[in-house]
Amino acid sequence: MPASALPALHASHGGCWLRDAPGKRGGGTRGIGKGEAITAAADAPLLMINAPLVASRLGYPDLAGLDLLELFAFIHPARFMVPTPKGLAHALDLPEPASDDAVPALLQTAAEALLATCEDPLWGAREGAWSALQSLARLHWAWAELLAPRIRRPERAERWLFSRLPEWEDAPERPQPAQIVLGDAEIAERLAALTGSGAEARAGQQDYARAAGAMFAPRRALGQPHVLLAQAGTGTGKTLGYLAAASLWAQQTGGTVWVSTFTKALQRQLRRESRRAFPEARDGKPPVVVRKGRENYLCLLNLEDALQGGFSGRAAIMAQLVARWAAYSQDGDMIGGDLPGWLGTLFRRRGIAALTDQRGECVYAGCPHYRKCFIERAARASAQAELVIANHALVMINAARGRDAAQRPTRVVFDEGHHVFEAADSMFAAALTGAETIELRRWVIGPESKSRGRRRGLAARLADVASYDEEGARAIGQARTAAEALPGEGWLARMGEGAPYGPIEALLSATRTLVLARDESGGQDAGYGLETEVAELGGAYIEIAGHAQEALEALRQPLVQLGLRLEALMADGPDWLDGPARARIEGARGAIGWRADLLAGWIALLARLGGPGDPDFVDWLALDRSDGREWDVGLHRRYLDPMKPFAAAVLAPAHGVMMTSATLRDGNDWDSAIARSGAGYLDVKPLLFAADSPFDYASQAEVLIVTDVPKGDIPALAAAYAQLIEAAGGGALGLFTAIRRLRAVNGRIADRLARGGLALFAQHVDPIDTGTLVDIFRDDPRASLLGTDALRDGVDVPGHSLRLVVMEQVPWPKPSILHRARRLAGGGQAHDDHIIRARLAQAFGRLIRTRTDRGHFVVLSAAFPSRLLSAFPAGTPVHRVTLEAALQRVSGGVSARETELHRESRTEKGGHQT
Ligand code: SF4
């Protein structure tokens, strides 16, 4: 059946449109109500795009249909597409739909075009399609029947995924890098080569690149790395600036430079830009490798389990589509790599996570797919690479507990350096909670439910060790018995019933009782998380904590013992310990070591209860909830200054470290940036560099502080957002500090805006991952996006698509126990002001990304203190105005911009004609 014979449905905030099958009601497209749309979808399979989003627009979660996104994922695995009607049209080279009512016809044309691809002899993703389709048909995938007549059976049987993937190869260890000093002239020359002869020379960028060269000089003393703090305003061109120095050093010395980012957006940009700086493969090895945490990559063993019955229903369909992708993926990265971010949300989010190696259960060389494993491939490739692109957390993990010297970063550029503190804060935190402890139990014992997966406990993973080494076997047995004391399945329900089982659940239950009794934050009624400080806990609680401490120690001891046995075994080298077995034991030793450390951290946390506080730490008890639903409870510990362990684990072993950002300093003040670099703990004096942005903020941007939207008045806040977005004609990024207010505003304005042709998307509301939301926003200049923290500096949308940023209020820090302690240590108000200015500067940084960008930055707050204005780049005009005046300025700015665009487009056309 041709796809044009199928009815198609589209739903937006502006309404619903159904295109009937030809012959039925004339076959045209008509606007219908939500009720009729739901009935139509129940009657027959309808073509639609992004079924979960359509379901959410209709308010009917059980909606099913022929989702074009699923078909696209099958036909074009690992290909990028913005999951909107417009994105689909672009991906298939079809005309964009002019309006919502044109979408159903597009869906029919697009479905036919996709199905026809299967009959094209040049279809690049043919291999594996027939076999995958047979499995998908058995799973009753909605598209299977339509695809079956279009995909012919191959003459020779297709190889299955696991034999098609290439094997990685071991490479010899690399020698130490040569010791050199980079000259200014050669850095300038390299930079010129990278920027291209036609590019204008940017003085700031040249100075910046030369400054970056200093971090690569030979180290003068052990534990004394070169530390460079480089502030570079937006538009300086810092990426190519540091890549110029880094590529020269790596190529001349044979060493590896790590560039670390906080956001995926920058990681993608670096992947693109580094191609110019590192064009050549060295001995056939890729010079640039993107490296992420294990939990980002597809685990082939988990996928095999899922394909062979571990997943059922819709999750099994997803596993088949993931298998299609895996065969064509560049690197197996499921989170932010070439797996479309939207694929997981079409099914269920946990499904994607269950295919990665979340729990550290990898069996290394014991795994049949070890030689093809994406994670192992990335780890090996990074040891041979000239440039490794990673994130802050992974750099810290590798520095603190890298498997071998080749994996440890010694020259690191922390881009988005203002986030290093935050990343270190999470990295060096301890959380003795239900969720953490049950993970540990599963890792030691294996899962309790009748899961059919491969997940197994420590005893099964180390069966060969146990049969060879008596002491090792005893330690495994003791660990298994001790792990019974950890929370098991159903622990959360037992908390609610006040019926804990075992010493750790008893501790969690007592913690919950205490938090509920003491919290005065007002979060109880709002359904938020609750917390209380570790003080005056009472004798009964301390006693319970004492039992928990003993139970944890009883688990830690055998794990430490087992680690020592494995070490001895490696030294002994029995006959059966061949290369793969050695790799597996080595992997197990690392995993056991960090779990023993984890337990030691928890034990230290419990040991301090009831005694004097340790000034290095902040401890508290918390009950985690969202929308009133409890999901975790436990004790937390953070370093008062996480840069202290960062300095010991990351800086001290390094030779050169650069932290760079557009918002490293607070105004012109370096003090906080220096304190937040950790250099002070090593007695290292950092080198300082600053370059101002080349942008003309005085003419490109305006800050508007709106003084007449009353605080706490949601209808007024929503009306202000709607009017501002209308005045700008879309292209607005709305930033919120509370999800509750974001949802309330979105609910009030989305339909109204849609009726005016302005699409609105919202994080925490729409069933779409954040990266895809940004892709959708970037792709449509009339769309607007509402979001919270992650969007404040994870959005890089240059050009006309982002011309207005609206903050609902001054982004005050949340008054948590941790914040109170750091505020006290950091100078009270000055500490808060620094945080707020940094947040404002980051949010403002979204607005102007190129020399031609123009836009308004609006804060809806009458009480905006003047001392925070230094957050904005020098010269940016700031006006305190009423909403009415702000609307005039925003719409005026847009019309000026439109005139300009019109003029530009005429000039361009003229240019083509001549
Ligand atoms: S080696 Fe480990 S991570 Fe890789 S596929 Fe096997 S079990 Fe999964």
Side-chain angles (χ1 to χ4, degrees):
M1 189 200 310
S4 52
L6 291 163
L9 174 69
H10 173 58
S12 77
H13 281 300
C16 309
W17 291 267
L18 180 69
R19 187 171 177 83
D20 294 307
K24 197 176 169 194
R25 291 178 192 250
T29 302
R30 58 200 171 88
I32 55 170
K34 288 184 182 177
E36 193 183 339
I38 293 165
T39 314
D43 282 353
L46 302 179
L47 293 173
M48 56 183 81
I49 180 164
N50 198 344
L53 187 66
V54 174
S56 115
R57 298 289 183 254
L58 296 178
Y60 184 73
D62 291 333
L63 196 81
L66 288 159
D67 194 331
L68 271 289
L69 294 183
E70 291 178 30
L71 181 62
F72 188 91
F74 179 88
I75 307 273
H76 297 300
R79 192 196 283 184
F80 176 79
M81 184 192 54
V82 179
T84 58
K86 182 179 164 194
L88 180 67
H90 283 188
L92 300 178
D93 231 355
L94 297 170
E96 271 179 35
S99 54
D100 272 333
D101 61 357
V103 172
L106 166 77
L107 299 183
Q108 290 177 332
T109 317
E112 186 50 41
L114 281 167
L115 292 171
T117 305
C118 307
E119 294 167 313
D120 182 344
L122 298 178
W123 181 30
R126 179 178 301 284
E127 181 160 20
W130 187 84
S131 310
L133 185 60
Q134 307 316 302
S135 304
L136 283 162
R138 282 193 293 277
L139 294 166
H140 306 292
W141 185 41
W143 286 104
E145 222 175 290
L146 288 153
L147 279 164
R150 314 265 191 148
I151 299 182
R152 64 170 194 277
R153 184 185 190 129
E155 279 155 26
R156 268 188 295 156
E158 289 176 321
R159 287 177 301 159
W160 83 316
L161 168 72
F162 302 101
S163 44
R164 279 167 61 201
L165 290 172
E167 295 197 342
W168 48 258
E169 279 168 25
D170 260 327
E173 256 181 50
R174 284 162 71 184
Q176 293 189 30
Q179 300 290 324
I180 63 164
V181 173
L182 294 174
D184 284 355
E186 57 181 340
I187 295 176
E189 203 180 309
R190 171 60 61 97
L191 179 63
L194 294 182
T195 51
S197 53
E200 63 186 297
R202 290 190 253 180
Q205 190 183 29
Q206 288 167 356
D207 294 343
Y208 178 88
R210 281 193 291 269
M215 72 165 267
F216 296 104
R219 190 168 65 172
R220 282 184 286 272
L222 188 65
Q224 303 256 296
H226 297 289
V227 177
L228 168 67
L229 306 183
Q231 160 106 7
T234 314
T236 305
K238 57 184 166 48
T239 313
L240 285 183
Y242 61 66
L243 285 179
S247 59
L248 261 184
W249 181 83
Q251 282 147 18
Q252 291 182 14
T253 64
T256 304
V257 180
W258 288 61
V259 177
S260 179
T261 76
F262 190 73
T263 63
K264 296 205 171 82
L266 181 60
Q267 213 161 69
R268 270 195 244 172
Q269 183 193 332
L270 262 164
R271 205 195 263 252
R272 271 195 318 270
E273 298 206 356
S274 59
R275 279 192 207 120
R276 272 189 273 173
F278 297 86
E280 304 280 330
R282 187 166 54 185
D283 308 331
K285 309 215 169 52
V288 179
V289 171
V290 177
R291 181 89 194 269
K292 297 189 175 178
R294 308 180 63 83
E295 67 288 354
N296 286 276
Y297 294 93
L298 173 67
C299 165
L300 293 170
L301 195 52
N302 280 351
L303 177 64
E304 188 185 354
D305 271 348
L307 295 174
Q308 295 188 339
F311 280 14
S312 57
R314 290 276 296 156
I317 292 175
M318 186 198 72
Q320 290 291 341
L321 293 179
V322 167
R324 283 280 291 151
W325 159 79
Y328 295 90
S329 168
Q330 194 181 328
D331 56 8
D333 174 4
M334 302 189 86
I335 323 279
D338 54 13
L339 181 79
W342 40 260
L343 189 67
T345 47
L346 296 183
F347 298 88
R348 58 189 180 104
R349 203 140 184 76
R350 277 299 305 161
I352 292 286
L355 293 174
T356 62
D357 181 39
Q358 290 277 326
R359 302 198 172 115
E361 290 161 317
C362 174
V363 289
Y364 297 93
C367 166
H369 311 303
Y370 182 61
R371 296 301 306 260
K372 291 161 187 260
C373 173
F374 288 117
I375 303 170
E376 293 298 321
R377 179 190 308 282
R380 273 164 184 78
S382 74
Q384 300 296 321
E386 294 176 16
L387 180 76
V388 179
I389 302 171
N391 58 42
H392 294 353
L394 186 77
V395 169
M396 290 179 204
I397 288 170
N398 270 47
R401 43 173 202 250
R403 269 201 262 163
D404 52 50
Q407 305 279 346
R408 271 186 222 126
T410 55
R411 273 87 179 167
V412 191
V413 177
F414 285 101
D415 201 337
E416 299 179 309
H418 56 282
H419 279 302
V420 171
F421 183 93
E422 200 178 328
D425 198 20
S426 314
M427 166 74 193
F428 299 104
L432 171 50
T433 69
E436 294 283 326
T437 46
I438 195 170
E439 277 299 300
L440 182 60
R441 178 192 174 105
R442 286 185 188 132
W443 181 80
V444 178
I445 300 182
E448 290 152 276
S449 60
K450 300 155 284 305
S451 137
R452 293 212 269 152
R454 70 176 173 92
R455 303 217 154 92
R456 297 177 303 166
L458 198 55
R461 291 199 298 271
L462 290 174
D464 49 358
V465 173
S467 63
Y468 175 81
D469 183 86
E470 211 175 299
E471 267 186 69
R474 199 173 316 120
I476 293 171
Q478 286 167 348
R480 202 198 173 289
T481 309
E484 301 278 358
L486 298 172
E489 299 286 326
W491 71 273
L492 205 50
R494 288 194 289 279
M495 295 295 106
E497 294 156 5
Y501 179 79
I504 310 297
E505 284 192 15
L507 174 71
L508 300 178
S509 179
T511 302
R512 179 178 178 273
T513 306
L514 214 59
V515 176
L516 285 170
R518 292 178 171 201
D519 182 86
E520 294 184 61
S521 66
Q524 299 238 5
D525 301 334
Y528 293 154
L530 311 174
E531 57 178 29
T532 189
E533 60 188 302
V534 169
E536 304 298 335
L537 296 173
Y541 187 90
I542 302 294
E543 198 178 323
I544 293 172
H547 294 314
Q549 191 182 332
E550 284 164 21
L552 295 177
E553 189 57 42
L555 175 57
R556 193 185 74 87
Q557 290 286 355
L559 287 183
V560 170
Q561 187 58 25
L562 182 58
L564 292 173
R565 286 313 305 155
L566 296 184
E567 210 173 305
L569 199 68
M570 305 266 290
D572 257 15
D575 294 350
W576 57 268
L577 198 66
D578 54 4
R582 184 171 278 277
R584 184 165 50 82
I585 304 287
E586 184 60 40
R589 199 164 65 98
I592 289 167
W594 84 256
R595 276 161 183 100
D597 290 349
L598 181 75
L599 282 160
W602 291 347
I603 291 165
L605 171 54
L606 292 178
R608 166 255 179 279
L609 300 178
D614 183 331
D616 267 353
F617 296 104
V618 184
D619 299 340
W620 72 97
L621 314 180
L623 176 60
D624 294 317
R625 312 190 306 172
S626 41
D627 294 330
R629 199 179 59 82
E630 297 178 11
W631 52 270
D632 204 3
V633 61
L635 295 87
H636 295 260
R637 162 169 277 195
R638 294 282 172 108
Y639 272 89
L640 185 63
D641 183 3
M643 299 316 284
K644 188 175 181 179
F646 172 86
V650 183
L651 290 185
H655 289 245
V657 172
M658 174 178 183
M659 293 184 191
T660 186
S661 159
T663 55
L664 211 54
R665 292 189 304 195
D666 186 6
N668 285 328
D669 176 16
W670 276 109
D671 290 351
S672 62
I674 294 171
R676 284 183 162 234
S677 72
Y681 291 105
L682 300 184
D683 214 10
V684 166
K685 205 163 171 280
L687 301 163
L688 306 176
F689 174 86
D692 286 336
S693 167
F695 298 157
D696 176 10
Y697 287 105
S699 68
Q700 289 183 255
E702 253 183 4
V703 174
L704 304 175
I705 296 168
V706 173
T707 52
D708 57 349
V709 176
K711 190 168 188 248
D713 183 341
I714 295 284
L717 182 68
Y721 264 97
Q723 287 172 283
L724 284 162
I725 292 171
E726 283 163 352
L733 177 66
L735 296 172
F736 289 77
T737 47
I739 296 174
R740 187 169 47 90
R741 282 195 297 276
L742 180 157
R743 287 186 176 142
V745 166
N746 178 71
R748 282 181 149 83
I749 67 175
D751 290 1
R752 161 181 170 174
L753 292 173
R755 284 194 292 275
L758 300 172
L760 182 67
F761 294 89
Q763 213 193 358
H764 311 290
V765 177
D766 292 322
I768 303 175
D769 65 289
T770 306
T772 304
L773 280 175
V774 176
D775 289 338
I776 293 174
F777 176 56
R778 184 184 292 114
D779 197 47
D780 181 357
R782 286 178 69 76
S784 297
L785 177 59
L786 306 182
T788 51
D789 285 6
L791 294 185
R792 200 173 49 228
D793 65 346
V795 175
D796 184 13
V797 178
H800 195 49
S801 283
L802 204 177
R803 50 198 180 271
L804 172 67
V805 175
V806 185
M807 291 195 98
E808 56 149 346
Q809 61 174 27
V810 177
W812 306 105
K814 199 165 150 243
S816 62
I817 289 169
L818 178 63
H819 169 252
R820 190 181 62 191
R822 288 189 178 147
R823 187 178 197 272
L824 206 64
Q829 182 72 55
H831 175 78
D832 282 3
D833 286 355
H834 166 71
I835 294 175
I836 302 166
R837 277 195 293 264
R839 290 178 180 176
L840 287 169
Q842 287 152 19
F844 180 87
R846 302 309 96 213
L847 191 62
I848 307 296
R849 309 297 296 166
T850 71
R851 272 175 204 276
T852 52
D853 284 4
R854 278 176 174 47
H856 290 93
F857 186 88
V858 179
V859 187
L860 300 171
S861 168
F864 189 101
S866 300
R867 64 178 188 279
L868 301 179
L869 292 176
S870 60
F872 304 114
T876 313
V878 179
H879 305 285
R880 287 182 191 268
V881 290
T882 61
L883 179 61
E884 192 51 46
L887 294 171
Q888 277 171 17
R889 296 192 92 98
V890 169
S891 58
V894 172
S895 33
R897 173 71 188 148
E898 270 168 2
T899 316
E900 206 175 297
L901 282 175
H902 189 58
R903 201 180 320 122
E904 275 169 19
S905 104
R906 273 201 324 225
T907 319
E908 217 171 273
K909 280 186 193 143
H912 285 305
Q913 280 160 13
T914 51

